[in-house]
Amino acid sequence: MPRNLQSKQRLKRLSPRQQKKLRVGAFTEMGFAFEAALKDGLAPAAEDAFLDAWLNEVDTQGVSFGGSFDAGSPSILNGMVFPVSGVKVDADLRETLIAWLTQRAEVASVTAGELSDVWHGE
């Protein structure tokens, strides 16, 4: 049976330094996974422009993106948004980025997961 890394009993035994090292308690890092399907028939230049705009938006928000782009039919961008440089991924930031994706003319559909622990998620 897996341990609950965030249990109150366990966190009480850990010093703040240990919590930081293990990324638990107040040092938990949250992120979210998503998948965006692009509309069929986009030119490769339009797909490249969309990817550049997405990466610029992620940088502007101060977080990072790890994932892949499958140029197929339809082309699919999927991956995870996660924190860097002390900027936390929270519900507001998740909604902002999902709204950015859904408002783009190139995007046909977006599915996004809930916030989850990027180090100890399922």
Side-chain angles (χ1 to χ4, degrees):
M1 179 172 242
R3 303 185 303 188
N4 180 359
L5 298 173
Q6 301 284 4
S7 74
K8 288 182 182 182
Q9 188 175 26
R10 181 169 188 263
L11 291 175
K12 279 193 327 188
R13 293 189 322 246
L14 298 174
S15 70
R17 181 184 154 280
Q18 290 170 316
Q19 288 183 25
K20 184 175 182 180
K21 182 177 180 182
L22 296 172
R23 294 180 171 97
V24 295
F27 302 97
T28 300
E29 295 179 344
M30 304 299 280
F32 68 94
F34 74 92
E35 180 176 289
L38 301 186
K39 293 180 179 172
D40 283 333
L42 288 177
E47 289 179 347
D48 288 345
F50 167 75
L51 289 173
D52 287 342
W54 166 249
L55 294 174
N56 285 334
E57 180 63 20
V58 168
D59 285 345
T60 299
Q61 297 296 333
V63 294
S64 191
F65 164 75
S68 64
F69 180 74
D70 179 21
S73 183
S75 296
I76 296 177
L77 173 67
N78 66 17
M80 180 163 229
V81 174
F82 53 92
V84 291
S85 305
V87 175
K88 294 192 179 281
V89 176
D90 59 13
D92 290 337
L93 181 58
R94 178 184 171 277
E95 292 303 317
T96 298
L97 291 173
I98 292 169
W100 186 93
L101 285 167
T102 57
Q103 293 170 1
R104 294 291 297 205
E106 303 93 337
V107 176
S109 66
V110 176
T111 56
E114 296 300 318
L115 289 176
S116 63
D117 186 333
V118 298
W119 289 97
H120 306 289
E122 298 171 37

